[in-house]
Amino acid sequence: MKVMEAEFVKGFIRMAADGWEQGWHERNGGNLSYRIKDEEVESIKEHLKEGEWRDIGTVVPKLAKEYFLVTGSGKYFRNVPLNLENSVCIIELDEKGENYRIVWGMVNGGTPTSELPSHLMNHEVKKELTEGRYRVIYHAHTTNIIALTFVLPLKDEIFTRELWEMATECPVVFPDGVGVVPWMIPGGREIAEATSRLMKTYDLAIWAHHGTFAAGEDFDLTFGLMHTVEKSAEILVKMLSMRPDKRQTIEPEDFRKLADGFQVKLPEKFLYEK
Ligand code: 13P
Ligand code: ZN
């Protein structure tokens, strides 16, 4: 099967196009990775070549010998549907999870996203925690969430609670809450370690003054998660633009009733009295 005909590749392209349409991917902003299933690798194997091994920049032993479809560094989401082979690549990891090689794509040269350490460390955490179910890691420059990182305290509890209050469905969509990483230099191992630590608890990690990481089982769930949290942030920005306080809101007791009704567990640390 041609790479472009594989369902996982079509799903990846659609997600990149959807993210572009949301306005989250100015220039080369954001990046996307998918941990490819064995049978999916098998279905396109005839088209894979062996590139040179290169250092990942971190170590991910639990992802040894896995294959990933990832966006390229400096590449534009806008161009993913228009020129896939120049915008993304498939990489294979070595048997120690220390090096990768490009086996498809990036036809005009280049490397996978500069956030590869964050993507792979997040994949490693999620693979382990979900018995392999999670396959997508998505980083987007979500406008309203970024704006909020200038005005809210950079605390998991506060971001989670404020975002939950903005839309009734939020605690159902991300019952574990969201984590916040303080401003750090992007693209390296340090921010990757901080993010993957949060991914042990949450499916969402906000990078202050930068953007958001989301993790999920498939493209729909991961995009839907990013869309939901960013929409909630948009409502909060609008609310704060009208007045600094809320006249009425969803109260801790309401969240507890919601948790019962929807059979989700909402950690009490987010339901503090204000
Ligand atoms: P890349 O083009 O290397 O993926 O970087 C974009 C980005 O959003 C960095 O955080
Ligand atoms: Zn970024």
Side-chain angles (χ1 to χ4, degrees):
M1 185 194 297
K2 282 192 187 149
V3 172
M4 266 180 248
E5 285 166 8
E7 283 307 315
F8 73 94
V9 177
K10 289 186 196 162
F12 188 101
I13 295 170
R14 182 171 156 221
M15 182 152 161
D18 287 349
W20 160 254
E21 279 175 21
Q22 291 299 321
W24 301 335
H25 300 289
E26 75 291 341
R27 204 172 179 277
N28 63 311
N31 22 78
L32 175 61
S33 65
Y34 172 75
R35 187 167 57 83
I36 309 174
K37 295 176 184 163
D38 293 346
E39 62 269 25
E40 290 169 335
V41 174
E42 217 40 58
S43 72
I44 54 162
K45 198 116 206 194
E46 61 189 298
H47 303 289
L48 306 185
K49 305 191 255 307
E50 293 177 357
E52 276 172 33
W53 290 109
R54 295 181 206 165
D55 186 16
I56 293 171
T58 189
V59 188
V60 282
K62 291 180 190 116
L63 298 179
K65 296 167 104 169
E66 293 246 31
Y67 289 75
F68 296 83
L69 178 58
V70 292
T71 48
S73 185
K75 300 297 182 181
Y76 294 25
F77 268 53
R78 172 85 180 99
N79 292 334
V80 169
L82 305 173
N83 193 352
L84 184 74
E85 282 175 279
N86 184 42
S87 308
V88 309
C89 54
I90 295 174
I91 59 168
E92 177 192 4
L93 305 196
D94 68 8
E95 66 279 358
K96 288 190 171 157
E98 287 175 359
N99 299 288
Y100 73 87
R101 62 182 172 189
I102 294 175
V103 295
W104 187 87
M106 302 297 284
V107 286
N108 297 313
T111 56
T113 171
S114 57
E115 306 295 0
L116 191 66
S118 283
H119 279 258
L120 293 181
M121 289 186 81
N122 292 343
H123 274 295
E124 190 177 48
V125 165
K126 289 301 185 188
K127 181 186 172 189
E128 177 98 334
L129 281 176
T130 68
E131 285 153 13
R133 280 183 294 112
Y134 274 39
R135 293 191 172 272
V136 182
I137 300 289
Y138 180 32
H139 168 56
H141 291 179
T142 42
T143 317
N144 293 283
I145 287 178
I146 297 169
L148 289 175
T149 65
F150 295 94
V151 298
L152 290 185
L154 300 175
K155 296 236 179 329
D156 302 2
E157 286 78 5
I158 292 174
F159 264 83
T160 299
R161 176 66 175 278
E162 294 306 312
L163 292 168
W164 278 2
E165 281 186 40
M166 288 304 110
T168 300
E169 71 168 53
C170 285
V172 179
V173 176
F174 47 97
D176 298 328
V178 302
V180 185
V181 180
W183 186 86
M184 290 174 82
I185 300 167
R189 185 177 176 146
E190 209 185 324
I191 197 166
E193 279 170 359
T195 311
S196 62
R197 225 175 291 127
L198 291 176
M199 283 290 175
K200 288 181 183 159
T201 308
Y202 310 112
D203 283 345
L204 288 160
I206 293 170
W207 281 5
H209 322 324
H210 184 144
T212 309
F213 265 84
E217 284 184 40
D218 58 29
F219 296 117
D220 277 350
L221 286 166
T222 314
F223 188 82
L225 182 61
M226 189 72 89
H227 202 184
T228 304
V229 73
E230 168 59 10
K231 174 149 186 188
S232 181
E234 183 181 346
I235 299 167
L236 185 51
V237 167
K238 287 192 157 101
M239 189 233 106
L240 291 169
S241 316
M242 288 186 278
R243 54 186 279 172
D245 59 336
K246 299 163 195 148
R247 188 159 189 159
Q248 55 270 323
T249 187
I250 307 169
E251 300 290 350
E253 243 348 274
D254 301 325
F255 285 118
R256 292 188 189 100
K257 283 184 211 150
L258 193 70
D260 281 346
F262 282 82
Q263 271 134 43
V264 289
K265 265 185 137 169
L266 300 179
E268 279 293 318
K269 68 172 175 173
F270 302 125
L271 303 180
Y272 50 86
E273 289 303 324
K274 290 189 194 170

